[in-house]
Amino acid sequence: MRKIITCCVATILAFSAVAQPQLTPKNIDKVIKAMTLEEKAHLVIGGSHAGRDKQLAGEVGYTGKIIPGAAGVTCPISRLGIPSIVVADGPAGLRIAPTRKGDPQTYYCTGFPVGIHLASTWNDEIIYNVGAAIGQEVKEYGVDVLLAPGVNIMRNPLCGRNFEYYSEDPLLAGKTAVAMINGVESHGVGTSLKHFAVNNQEINRLANDSRLSLRALREIYLRNFEIAVKEAQPWTVMTACNFVNGRHTSEDPGLLETILRDEWGFEGLVMTDWNTGYNVADQISAGNDLMMPGRLRNYHEIVAAVQSGKLAESDLDICVKRVLELIVRTPRFNGYKFSNKPDMEAHAKLPREVASEGFVLLKNDKASLPLKEKKVALFGATSYNFIAGGAGSGNVHRPYVVDLRDGLIGNGFTLYEKLDNKYQKYMAEEHKRLAPILKMRKWFEYKPCPNELLHPHASIIDAAQSDAEVAVITFGRHSAEGFDRHIERDFNLRPAEEILLTAVSREFHKVGKKVIVVLNISSPVEVASWRDKADAILVCWMPGQEGGNSVADVLLGKVSPSGKLPITFPIRYDDVRSAPNFPRNVAETGMNQSRTNMPTAGKTYDVKNIDYTNYEED
């Protein structure tokens, strides 16, 4: 009897071992054959829906399991040895939650200069080094795929996400992406090239139809992706939220199969942007392998579609295979023991070095820079509240931000104390005023910045007549995912800024002192109408956590601002080719405007530049 039982147990164990293969890089097809339909459906929709509060299900940024604050995970299938893998933002540095319940450690990530800033360097080696540093942090913090770089064309200076992207020029954008991808992936983690394709505005991003000619599509809006795919082969590509010529990008086999895979030879996985697409069966049939971050209804839709014959299980198997091919490449699958201790000290030196390479000197009359003067009258709210980067998925939880005030003081300048004290007191009041407003804003939303000093004339006259030798003014512009910029509020100087600049220029020039303007901006601003009031204009973009030090290095002449514009600065906004075909001064509701006028059922084409945008360039 004992021999019979032993034989039966052995047979059962042997059968189980055969029936339940454990995933390896060499047995992916065997594992797929062992999977149930239900397991396949779970694997291709991401894992953020599993075991979560229903109100949070499918929302980016709330992945509490594995790595808090990461954008999403894939579903594990433990019986087949398939683990979850972790994907996280972002283009200027890794974005994860800095604090964890019951954990005294703070999980900061290095805040690097933003995408438009990196592209201004025109320097592949520097961009590769930034990517490599980000890749090391991605790996040591336990993330498998970085959701970057963003390579979309800067079609219009008002696009709220331009700070994440690289250029209006497809060649510069593509080559910059290649350097970033190769840098990140040098650490054995993946990237996700995004947003494929023609995603050039944030207003109604989830439902806008980008309508353009085949020539414009090929020569402008796909050429950047083509360069990045052919020269770097990123692990993944992320489809855009919008439609292109009437078809949702994630449901378009012409984009995903014919162009991306057949023509360009892309070998990796395609995933959706978060919570996008209308028909999951069409997405799978089109070659969109992974639907993120995972919605439970998608699981039921896939199972029902296969069972009804609307979706061929063989098409589903192709997507499952690509997910598994991605998983077996990752550090998590290969047993890497991440340390949670990347080399932050070494990485902190890099933003300061990189930033000045991307600074662009728009004007420098009579060699006004570098400064020989060391005592500065410092103006502008942004001088005391430097903008290191944008909001949304492009944000980074940095350990610190060096503003211009501290950067100047720390590098040998002295400030006119009376003016400095006035600004510090004023900024404390502004931060107090803004605190309840900022508390109400969600993590991805546009952040209002402090207003300029009111009634500054007396302070300006006093500073000009003091022993201060030069005036430095900083004007800043914040930007965010889900919002496009306004002409009056963001592109042009605001009334208070114009008053400040005009008065400073008049009073300081009257006594023979120079006026330097620093632009801490996310995208082009109007300069032509006021440039004669400044002796030098320095664009420092959004320079990351060391911004104030980097600007001080340039003002001192320690470093040459060797950046070149990756995007045109128009004389007037109406000179922009796409101005008639871009959302113009859409009233901000405080909500994520990428859902503006989003239909609840069926695509609508009622509102120009909202429901659809005609690209007249060719």
Side-chain angles (χ1 to χ4, degrees), residues 152-228:
N152 290 98
I153 294 297
M154 297 175 184
R155 177 175 180 261
N156 186 286
L158 299 186
C159 177
R161 218 162 176 178
N162 278 349
F163 72 93
E164 288 188 48
Y165 299 147
Y166 291 139
S167 180
E168 67 187 6
D169 179 79
L171 179 63
L172 178 58
K175 291 290 188 178
T176 303
V178 169
M180 176 60 73
I181 291 164
N182 287 337
V184 173
E185 294 191 352
S186 68
H187 283 277
V189 293
T191 57
S192 192
L193 181 68
K194 63 182 188 179
H195 305 90
F196 189 60
V198 204
N199 179 185
N200 310 111
Q201 69 184 62
E202 288 298 288
I203 301 297
N204 205 28
R205 172 170 54 120
L206 273 72
N208 176 263
D209 186 9
S210 301
R211 307 199 302 196
L212 71 170
S213 72
L214 181 60
R215 180 176 180 180
L217 177 66
R218 288 285 193 165
E219 295 185 4
I220 304 174
Y221 296 99
L222 293 185
R223 179 66 176 141
N224 44 341
F225 287 97
E226 181 181 6
I227 292 167

Side-chain angles (χ1 to χ4, degrees), residues 37-342:
L37 171 60
E38 291 74 16
E39 287 171 335
K40 294 174 184 177
H42 276 303
L43 190 66
V44 299
I45 64 167
S48 296
H49 66 284
R52 299 268 305 287
D53 184 293
K54 289 182 180 179
Q55 291 182 336
L56 293 181
E59 289 199 25
V60 61
Y62 295 96
T63 306
K65 294 181 179 180
I66 308 180
I67 308 297
V73 295
T74 60
C75 281
I77 303 174
S78 55
R79 77 175 186 91
L80 298 173
I82 304 172
S84 289
I85 62 170
V86 179
V87 301
D89 303 316
L94 178 64
R95 189 181 72 83
I96 57 174
T99 58
R100 301 175 185 180
K101 189 175 181 180
D103 186 344
Q105 180 177 341
T106 305
Y107 297 82
Y108 287 127
C109 300
T110 306
F112 290 95
V114 297
I116 191 173
H117 193 142
L118 293 176
S120 297
T121 68
W122 291 33
N123 187 324
D124 291 352
E125 182 179 353
I126 281 175
I127 297 161
Y128 178 93
N129 291 340
V130 170
I134 294 173
Q136 201 255 351
E137 294 183 20
V138 168
K139 189 172 185 177
E140 292 306 325
Y141 276 136
V143 173
D144 299 289
V145 177
L146 182 74
L147 302 175
V151 73
N152 290 98
I153 294 297
M154 297 175 184
R155 177 175 180 261
N156 186 286
L158 299 186
C159 177
R161 218 162 176 178
N162 278 349
F163 72 93
E164 288 188 48
Y165 299 147
Y166 291 139
S167 180
E168 67 187 6
D169 179 79
L171 179 63
L172 178 58
K175 291 290 188 178
T176 303
V178 169
M180 176 60 73
I181 291 164
N182 287 337
V184 173
E185 294 191 352
S186 68
H187 283 277
V189 293
T191 57
S192 192
L193 181 68
K194 63 182 188 179
H195 305 90
F196 189 60
V198 204
N199 179 185
N200 310 111
Q201 69 184 62
E202 288 298 288
I203 301 297
N204 205 28
R205 172 170 54 120
L206 273 72
N208 176 263
D209 186 9
S210 301
R211 307 199 302 196
L212 71 170
S213 72
L214 181 60
R215 180 176 180 180
L217 177 66
R218 288 285 193 165
E219 295 185 4
I220 304 174
Y221 296 99
L222 293 185
R223 179 66 176 141
N224 44 341
F225 287 97
E226 181 181 6
I227 292 167
V229 167
K230 286 184 174 179
E231 296 185 20
Q233 274 293 344
W235 286 16
T236 76
V237 167
M238 182 189 295
T239 48
C241 301
N242 52 283
F243 292 73
V244 175
N245 291 333
R247 193 153 196 174
H248 199 285
T249 63
S250 66
E251 299 172 7
D252 188 346
L255 274 178
L256 304 187
E257 292 294 345
T258 305
I259 294 176
L260 180 62
R261 291 193 169 102
D262 296 342
E263 292 186 21
W264 299 349
F266 178 62
E267 299 171 354
L269 171 140
V270 174
M271 69 173 75
T272 65
D273 200 347
W274 267 230
N275 294 313
T276 61
Y278 291 89
N279 188 311
V280 70
D282 287 347
Q283 289 175 315
I284 291 170
S285 297
N288 204 120
D289 309 302
L290 180 61
M291 276 47 70
M292 294 298 287
R295 291 182 285 188
L296 191 57
R297 66 176 176 82
N298 289 154
Y299 160 76
H300 293 298
E301 287 167 354
I302 292 169
V303 172
V306 173
Q307 290 176 339
S308 68
K310 293 181 179 178
L311 174 64
E313 189 164 0
S314 58
D315 287 344
L316 176 60
D317 287 348
I318 292 171
C319 295
V320 169
K321 184 172 184 176
R322 291 185 186 130
V323 175
L324 295 177
E325 287 173 341
L326 172 64
I327 289 172
V328 299
R329 301 178 74 176
T330 61
R332 177 160 276 98
F333 177 81
N334 289 292
Y336 183 74
K337 305 298 181 185
F338 59 92
S339 66
N340 275 328
K341 294 181 180 179

